[in-house]
Amino acid sequence: MFSNTKSMKSTKLYFLLTVFILLCTIKTMGQQDPNYTLYRYAMNLINPAYAGSSEETALGLNIRSQWASVEGAPETQSVFFGTSITDKVGLGVSIVNDQTFIEDQTSVAIDFSYRVQLSRFTNLFFGLKAGANSYNVNTAGLNTFSISADPSLTDIDGRFTPNIGAGALLKGEKYFLSFSIPKILSPERINDDNGTAILGTDRVHFYLAGGHDFELGRSLTLKPSTLVRYVTDAPVSIDFTTALQFNNSFEIGAAYRLDEGIGGFAILNAQNWLSIGYAYESPLNNQIANNNGTHEIYTRFIF
């Protein structure tokens, strides 16, 4: 019996390692930080305080294809890992490969968290993120979209820049409240200025999120949550999400991004070490809505 259990664990770890390596080598292109329909299940990507906060060693994968039938539309692949080093210190890794139209960006970061216990069921986590971004832009591709380019853009291709981030997480037995700035520095990138691509800087993103789980019965839980994203010189983005969880094994939910899109999702906890989720999002913009919408796939392994 012990031999079979050990063999199953070895097989599972080998599978997780293989998937992790494959996703780390995917070449993609970048945009301003992506949205996630399943943000509640991938908070490690935007808040370093989540590293090790679940007291589990977990590896998560998220693949998002936005506006599926639009050529060059955003494509994002994300990997996030978290574990507890001690009862107070957590360690995490996050990798985001992001593509949109002519941009190519890969971000790799290491997360550290520190836990302060406020009461028996309430903890406050502080997190720091340290990483780097590689940024490439195909300025020749601007002709495809009838956009002129500033000559200074020739020097931006192939940039590799460091970055830092910070976050805090208040976590109770049935609720959470999160605030984070995953990228504090603003490296150079292209910006649009009335149809002309010019040299600009990346915008700082601020995230505020919260959620609460309400037990409606012995095997039914209501899980509402919200995420507010503020980006300098851009409209505030607000996500509202509600899910029903059945017997801790299956979730079905709905999502609404204010004035942007609506969607639905389902998550299956297939084993005590595996969760699989899918989300579909349809934009409210009529011109974009004629396309195939946005697909998001989520997987989480616990080991």
Side-chain angles (χ1 to χ4, degrees):
M1 180 67 178
F2 177 79
S3 178
N4 290 337
T5 302
K6 184 177 181 180
S7 177
M8 289 178 63
K9 289 184 177 180
S10 298
T11 302
K12 183 169 66 175
L13 289 174
Y14 176 77
F15 173 71
L16 295 177
L17 181 61
T18 302
V19 173
F20 185 82
I21 293 173
L22 286 175
L23 283 210
C24 290
T25 58
I26 295 174
K27 175 177 171 37
T28 55
M29 298 174 158
Q31 59 175 347
Q32 295 283 0
D33 292 357
N35 286 312
Y36 297 95
T37 305
L38 298 173
Y39 64 87
R40 180 167 181 172
Y41 310 92
M43 290 293 291
N44 303 60
L45 295 173
I46 61 175
N47 190 346
Y50 270 82
S53 63
S54 64
E55 299 182 355
E56 299 171 330
T57 297
L59 171 67
L61 316 173
N62 185 291
I63 301 175
R64 180 177 172 88
S65 178
Q66 189 168 333
W67 311 331
S69 66
V70 177
E71 183 178 356
E75 298 276 349
T76 306
Q77 296 86 33
S78 306
V79 182
F80 48 97
F81 171 82
T83 189
S84 298
I85 299 178
T86 68
D87 63 340
K88 291 185 177 295
V89 179
L91 174 67
V93 177
S94 58
I95 302 172
V96 179
N97 295 320
D98 192 28
Q99 81 170 37
T100 180
F101 301 110
I102 63 168
E103 294 179 274
D104 184 331
Q105 179 169 271
T106 301
S107 301
V108 180
I110 297 177
D111 300 330
F112 299 92
S113 72
Y114 183 81
R115 180 177 71 93
V116 178
Q117 187 169 3
L118 302 180
S119 67
R120 181 181 178 185
F121 297 112
T122 305
N123 294 282
L124 179 61
F125 297 84
F126 297 98
L128 292 175
K129 182 184 292 286
N133 306 331
S134 67
Y135 181 79
N136 294 277
V137 56
N138 175 22
T139 54
L142 290 170
N143 296 327
T144 304
F145 305 100
S146 300
I147 299 176
S148 58
D150 188 305
S152 64
L153 293 179
T154 56
D155 297 328
I156 196 174
D157 192 46
R159 290 288 178 90
F160 186 82
T161 56
N163 216 317
I164 56 173
L169 168 65
L170 179 64
K171 185 177 181 181
E173 186 179 15
K174 298 293 182 180
Y175 71 90
F176 74 92
L177 182 63
S178 163
F179 176 75
S180 63
I181 310 174
K183 295 178 183 178
I184 295 176
L185 304 181
S186 300
E188 292 181 331
R189 63 177 301 148
I190 65 169
N191 281 337
D192 176 63
D193 184 16
N194 296 321
T196 300
I198 63 173
L199 184 63
T201 58
D202 207 352
R203 298 173 181 175
V204 178
H205 291 57
F206 300 84
Y207 293 89
L208 177 64
H212 197 292
D213 294 349
F214 298 93
E215 293 187 1
L216 303 181
R218 295 182 61 183
S219 60
L220 184 64
T221 304
L222 180 66
K223 303 174 63 177
S225 61
T226 187
L227 172 68
V228 179
R229 183 174 78 159
Y230 172 73
V231 184
T232 309
D233 299 325
V236 175
S237 176
I238 305 177
D239 285 65
F240 300 96
T241 303
T242 301
L244 277 174
Q245 183 181 66
F246 301 89
N247 201 29
N248 293 320
S249 60
F250 179 73
E251 291 184 38
I252 186 169
Y256 170 64
R257 182 168 300 118
L258 186 64
D259 297 329
E260 294 186 45
I262 57 175
F265 62 91
I267 295 178
L268 174 66
N269 298 318
Q271 300 288 337
N272 58 0
W273 59 272
L274 174 63
S275 295
I276 302 172
Y278 169 77
Y280 178 83
E281 183 181 312
S282 179
L284 296 178
N285 183 297
N286 290 332
Q287 292 181 340
I288 301 176
N290 292 330
N291 301 298
N292 294 330
T294 296
H295 304 272
E296 190 171 321
I297 298 173
Y298 159 87
T299 306
R300 184 170 181 263
F301 305 93
I302 299 174
F303 55 101

